[in-house]
Amino acid sequence: MLLSLIQIKCLTLSIPRMMEIQFSAFDSEPYHRCLYPGGNTPSARAAAGLRVIQEREHTPQQEVVGCVDSDTGVMVGFVKWIFYRTERPESSWSKREKVDWWGVGENENKEMKRKAEAYLETTEGTRQRIWGGRPHALCALLCVHPDYQRQGAGTLLMHWGMERARDMGLPAYLEASFEGYPLYKKLGFRDIDSMIIKADIWGGGYDRVYKAMQKDF
Ligand SMILES: CC(C)(COP(=O)(O)OP(=O)(O)OC[C@H]1O[C@@H](n2cnc3c(N)ncnc32)[C@H](O)[C@@H]1OP(=O)(O)O)[C@@H](O)C(=O)NCCC(=O)NCCS
């Protein structure tokens, strides 16, 4: 498969395909299931898409790049990087995201909401503790559609952001899923911290460990 990269400036046009990719790629990932308990439905994808668009409004440092099958023009994956080039004041980096994107029925389930916010708290809290307002390049989301995985798209998308980070003189940082971890290791990221999501939060039989990883250039 011949792959090419496109920088996504107009999110509205690309969001439907991006959300198809995201929901298929993270189908079995408890973190995603906790944030979008309705599963892969049109309304959950619409809510998630709106969340990405709103995030761009609040985070001008965000850049989204898609990976396209050059023969068909179909987007197969995308990455979201946030390049924090300058020191940020505490009022900007210390905010915690609220789970406010759910539909009416889901919103009534306070227990589910508490779990989703506990998940976010673990990753955001770790990020804030490590970086505070210091400049860095955050790889906030990477996903490749399951039909197109293991063909180099993830690597290409990561290289794009890593090259930008290197050019800007920023360390690159991310929180790795189980699936992403081998790719990041291969690309030279090292473990700098770990996050434990307790079994009762994600609803499984054991505590899950996610790795915070960094690469310096
Ligand atoms: C992680 C992910 C983005 C990788 O994308 P990809 O396009 O399949 O990655 P690549 O084809 O570039 O893989 C490059 C190398 O990474 C490693 N790798 C990638 N996926 C792997 C997996 N599932 N298990 C083990 N190693 C893997 C391999 O070394 C691979 O090289 P190889 O295929 O020659 O063995 C993709 O599997 C995905 O979207 N997963 C679900 C969402 C997710 O977990 N995203 C990461 C969030 S932190």
Side-chain angles (χ1 to χ4, degrees):
M1 183 170 56
L2 192 62
L3 297 168
S4 47
L5 296 180
I6 47 159
Q7 199 148 0
I8 300 175
K9 297 283 185 200
C10 177
L11 280 173
T12 319
L13 286 177
S14 302
I15 278 288
R17 177 61 184 159
M18 284 168 60
M19 292 304 108
E20 272 174 20
I21 295 168
Q22 179 176 322
F23 276 76
S24 316
F26 286 107
D27 189 38
S28 57
E29 170 54 54
Y31 195 144
H32 202 262
R33 284 181 166 261
C34 213
L35 296 188
Y36 302 102
N40 189 355
T41 61
S43 66
R45 290 198 301 273
L50 192 59
R51 188 176 164 221
V52 177
I53 290 169
Q54 284 170 347
E55 187 191 60
R56 159 127 345 146
E57 282 161 16
H58 305 142
T59 319
Q61 305 96 328
Q62 181 209 77
E63 296 195 36
V64 179
V65 169
C67 184
V68 172
D69 175 344
S70 307
D71 294 329
T72 61
V74 172
M75 193 196 296
V76 303
F78 69 92
V79 72
K80 194 168 77 179
W81 283 85
I82 304 178
F83 298 100
Y84 295 118
R85 302 178 76 151
T86 52
E87 186 82 26
R88 288 173 298 148
E90 189 165 349
S91 56
S92 146
W93 60 260
S94 63
K95 290 192 199 105
R96 293 285 161 88
E97 194 179 2
K98 286 261 158 265
V99 175
D100 56 7
W101 54 82
W102 287 0
V104 177
E106 289 164 336
N107 258 324
E108 285 158 10
N109 192 330
K110 296 229 166 13
E111 179 57 14
M112 270 171 20
K113 207 162 183 175
R114 186 191 68 77
K115 288 183 174 185
E117 285 181 349
Y119 237 119
L120 279 178
E121 170 84 19
T122 308
T123 48
E124 281 189 344
T126 302
R127 197 180 303 166
Q128 291 171 0
R129 181 166 46 76
I130 293 173
W131 294 102
R134 288 187 297 127
H136 65 285
L138 166 68
C139 177
L141 185 65
L142 169 71
C143 47
V144 174
H145 192 285
D147 292 349
Y148 299 91
Q149 288 177 5
R150 302 301 284 263
Q151 298 182 68
T155 303
L156 201 59
L157 288 163
M158 284 303 295
H159 273 147
W160 178 87
M162 287 159 59
E163 278 162 27
R164 298 275 328 246
R166 191 198 52 216
D167 292 348
M168 291 177 189
L170 299 174
Y173 169 82
L174 53 83
E175 287 123 20
S177 68
F178 289 151
E179 278 201 48
Y181 187 77
L183 169 62
Y184 306 136
K185 269 280 183 215
K186 194 172 183 180
L187 292 172
F189 280 77
R190 64 190 162 86
D191 299 8
I192 55 165
D193 209 332
S194 49
M195 291 147 280
I196 297 173
I197 310 286
K198 304 294 279 178
D200 67 318
I201 297 290
W202 72 275
Y206 59 96
D207 295 348
R208 280 178 77 89
V209 181
Y210 292 79
K211 297 288 183 190
M213 304 181 84
Q214 179 173 339
K215 184 173 167 80
D216 300 300
F217 300 97

